[in-house]
Amino acid sequence: MPGTAGWQITHPGPEHSIEGFADRISVKPGKPVRLFVSTTAPTFTVTALRMGNYDGSEALQIWKSEPQIGHVQPSSTVQKPTSTVVAPWDPSLTIDTTGWSAGDYLFRLDGDNGAQQFVPLTVRTPSNEGRIVIVNAVTTWQAYNRWGGYSLYDSPSGKKALRSRAVSFDRPYQADTMQGAGDFLYFELPMVLFAERSGHQIGYATDADLDADPHLLDGARAVITLAHDEYWSANMRNNLVTARDRGVNLAFLGGNDGYRHMRFNSTPLGTNRLEIDYKSFDEDPLSKTNPAQATQEWRSPPNPHPESALLGNYYKCNPVDADLVAADTTNWLLQGILSDGQHLPRLVGNEYNQVDLDVPTPRPLQVLFHSPLTCNGTPGYADVSYYTTLSGAAVFAAGTEYWICGLDPHCERANTAGDTTRNAITAITTRLLDAYAAGPTGSVHPALDNLAKFNIPGATPAIAPHQPDALVPN
C-alpha cells in the first residue's frame, strides 16, 4: 500500500508554539481519544498517521481534522511533594478511531503559524492470539520526559535531588529531543517497520497495557520489547514471566531492560497515568506500609529481585561505545552469518548488559556475542544471551541499546563496508522472528550452555538446568 510522503516534522517552531497530549496511552480500535492542545496559532489541524510498512514511506495518513480554533492553555503546574508536572488543560477535540487498524500512531499537530509537533497513541490489538506482540516502552519515555522542567532524572535547577518522584502522562512529551513523540521515533520505529515487513502477524501494546491486563499475552507466540525498556512495574514483570512459562517466546532488544522498579497510579484522566519511582526504598512512603511495592531498583535491598532472573543478562554500566563481537557462531541464530571473533563496529552502547553468575541467572545459558569494553574505567564484557525453558519458550536478550540501530537504514552507526553490520543484524533478527512466529522456539532450538568457554566467573562445564524464580510480589 502506498504510504504518505512528508509526514515528518520539518518546522517545530519556537518552544510551546504547538504541543499536546492524549487522554489515553492506548485504545482498542473504535474507542474515542481526546486531544489536549495548546498553541499560539489561531487555528491548527490534526493528522493521524499510522506508522508502518508502506510503499515509499513509513507512515499512512488515516484521518485529518478540519481546522480547529487554537488557543494558549494554562501554564503547567507542579504538584508537591513529588514535583509532578501536569498540564491543567481543557480538551480540544475528540477523535473517533472506528475502523482504524491496530498499530502505532502519531498525531501530527500543524498550526497555521507553521509550527508542528507529534502526539503518540497505540491502537492495541484486541486479541494477540498467534501474534508477535510489540510493546511500546511508554514508562521509559515518560521517565525521561522533561516537559515542564521535571523528569525522574532532572529538575529546572539542574539539581537531580530535586527531580520528580512521580511523572504524569497528563502532559506533552518534550519538543527538543522527542518531537512530542516520546522515544518512539529513535528507539522503536525501526523495529516496528522491520516487524511489519517480516510478514508475520504483529500485535501492538504498551507497558501500561502489560501492567493492566493479565490476559494481554494469552495465545501470543512472542513478545518483543524495544531498545530502551528500563521501567517496569511488578505486574509488567510478572505478566512477562507468566507468559514465558506458558511457552511464549521473549526478546529484549535493548540494554538496561527492567532495571527500574516503578508503580502506576491514577490521575483525573484515568488509570495508569501516574508513574511513581522514588529510586529509594527509605524515601518511598510505601516502604513503611507495603515494602514490596517500594520503588528502589529491582536488584536493590532489602528485597532484591534482579532482572537477570528473567533476562539472562544483567545491566552493568553506561556510557559505552564498543564493537559487538561474535562469540558462538555454532548457534542457530548466527550460524552461516558471522564468524567467531567477527566485529560489528560500535553496536554496543550506550548502556549494556553482561552475564553475571553472582546474581540469579537461568541455565543453560548461551552467550552469542561476548564483546570486550571499558566503561568508566572498568573493563568488562557486553553479552548477548539466549536461554530456553521447560515450557519451550526461548528468551533472547541483546544487552545493548544499539541492536535496533542495526536494522535502521538511517542509523549511521550501522554503516559499515559492504553493509556488513546491517546485513548481519537483519539476518539474525529475521531468523529470530521466523522461529518465534512458529511457536515455542526452545523446543526446536534449545540453548547450549557455553559460559565456561568464556571464563565467566563461577561457570563450570557441567551444570544442572536451573530457572530462578523471576516472579515478584505485587
Side-chain angles (χ1 to χ4, degrees), residues 286-325:
L286 259 60
S287 64
K288 307 296 191 297
T289 59
N290 187 0
Q293 284 294 304
T295 52
Q296 73 280 15
E297 282 75 19
W298 280 116
R299 61 182 60 184
S300 297
N303 49 350
H305 299 281
E307 69 276 13
S308 54
L310 177 58
L311 299 179
N313 54 26
Y314 181 77
Y315 172 63
K316 278 295 184 180
C317 183
N318 80 90
V320 72
D321 189 334
D323 293 356
L324 197 62
V325 182

Side-chain angles (χ1 to χ4, degrees), residues 180-363:
D183 286 332
F184 175 74
L185 291 168
Y186 178 71
F187 278 129
E188 305 199 356
L189 177 58
M191 185 59 200
V192 171
L193 300 176
F194 184 86
E196 292 207 348
R197 290 171 187 144
S198 75
H200 298 303
Q201 294 295 308
I202 305 301
Y204 304 86
T206 71
D207 287 342
D209 302 315
L210 185 58
D211 175 277
D213 184 0
H215 299 291
L216 180 76
L217 303 177
D218 286 359
R221 297 289 173 85
V223 180
I224 310 290
T225 76
L226 302 168
H228 197 190
D229 191 14
E230 181 178 351
Y231 285 77
W232 288 6
S233 69
N235 283 348
M236 287 169 57
R237 178 165 164 165
N238 286 344
N239 288 338
L240 284 172
V241 173
T242 302
R244 180 201 66 179
D245 293 346
R246 292 197 309 263
V248 178
N249 302 304
L250 306 180
F252 303 98
L253 298 187
N256 193 216
D257 300 302
Y259 174 66
R260 303 281 188 187
H261 179 189
M262 49 72 63
R263 64 177 183 270
F264 282 110
N265 210 332
S266 301
T267 76
L269 292 183
T271 59
N272 279 15
R273 293 187 63 85
L274 186 69
E275 177 180 344
I276 302 167
D277 189 355
Y278 285 83
K279 302 183 183 179
S280 163
F281 179 81
D282 292 331
E283 188 182 339
D284 192 329
L286 259 60
S287 64
K288 307 296 191 297
T289 59
N290 187 0
Q293 284 294 304
T295 52
Q296 73 280 15
E297 282 75 19
W298 280 116
R299 61 182 60 184
S300 297
N303 49 350
H305 299 281
E307 69 276 13
S308 54
L310 177 58
L311 299 179
N313 54 26
Y314 181 77
Y315 172 63
K316 278 295 184 180
C317 183
N318 80 90
V320 72
D321 189 334
D323 293 356
L324 197 62
V325 182
D328 189 348
T329 54
T330 65
N331 177 269
W332 64 279
L333 282 167
L334 276 62
Q335 192 170 37
I337 298 172
L338 295 170
S339 303
D340 282 354
Q342 187 170 344
H343 285 233
L344 300 179
R346 303 187 61 214
L347 275 198
V348 177
N350 182 37
E351 299 181 292
Y352 76 92
N353 291 19
Q354 180 176 334
V355 172
D356 185 341
L357 295 181
D358 287 335
V359 293
T361 302
R363 304 287 296 276

Side-chain angles (χ1 to χ4, degrees), residues 40-58:
T40 57
T43 66
F44 68 95
T45 59
V46 180
T47 303
L49 301 160
R50 187 187 181 279
M51 309 305 294
N53 179 35
Y54 301 105
D55 293 339
S57 179
E58 301 88 351

Side-chain angles (χ1 to χ4, degrees), residues 1-220:
M1 180 184 297
T4 302
W7 62 269
Q8 298 90 342
I9 286 175
T10 57
H11 186 261
E15 188 176 16
H16 306 306
S17 297
I18 193 165
E19 54 195 350
F21 65 94
D23 72 339
R24 295 292 180 266
I25 299 167
S26 73
V27 293
K28 289 184 177 179
K31 295 298 183 182
V33 179
R34 292 188 298 168
L35 286 190
F36 296 70
V37 179
S38 178
T39 181
T40 57
T43 66
F44 68 95
T45 59
V46 180
T47 303
L49 301 160
R50 187 187 181 279
M51 309 305 294
N53 179 35
Y54 301 105
D55 293 339
S57 179
E58 301 88 351
L60 178 67
Q61 179 177 317
I62 300 298
W63 172 86
K64 186 173 182 177
S65 74
E66 297 296 324
Q68 307 290 309
I69 301 299
H71 64 280
V72 177
Q73 301 251 28
S75 299
S76 61
T77 60
V78 181
Q79 298 174 343
K80 299 297 183 181
T82 54
S83 296
T84 300
V85 176
V86 298
W89 296 354
D90 294 324
S92 303
L93 71 162
T94 299
I95 298 171
D96 181 4
T97 66
T98 299
W100 293 19
S101 300
D104 289 325
Y105 286 75
L106 295 176
F107 295 113
R108 196 183 67 203
L109 310 178
D110 288 270
D112 65 1
N113 59 358
Q116 302 170 308
Q117 281 294 299
F118 289 126
V119 176
L121 176 74
T122 300
V123 177
R124 67 183 182 270
T125 314
S127 168
N128 287 310
E129 181 81 29
R131 296 180 182 271
I132 296 173
V133 184
I134 292 177
V135 180
N136 300 124
V138 295
T139 53
T140 301
W141 304 358
Q142 196 59 255
Y144 286 86
N145 178 22
R146 298 191 314 273
W147 190 90
Y150 287 89
S151 70
L152 289 179
Y153 293 86
D154 295 309
S155 67
S157 69
K159 295 180 179 179
K160 294 187 181 300
L162 301 179
R163 62 178 178 81
S164 294
R165 269 57 178 176
V167 287
S168 175
F169 286 85
D170 299 351
R171 59 173 179 157
Y173 289 103
Q174 68 193 66
D176 56 353
T177 59
M178 293 181 167
Q179 299 185 71
D183 286 332
F184 175 74
L185 291 168
Y186 178 71
F187 278 129
E188 305 199 356
L189 177 58
M191 185 59 200
V192 171
L193 300 176
F194 184 86
E196 292 207 348
R197 290 171 187 144
S198 75
H200 298 303
Q201 294 295 308
I202 305 301
Y204 304 86
T206 71
D207 287 342
D209 302 315
L210 185 58
D211 175 277
D213 184 0
H215 299 291
L216 180 76
L217 303 177
D218 286 359

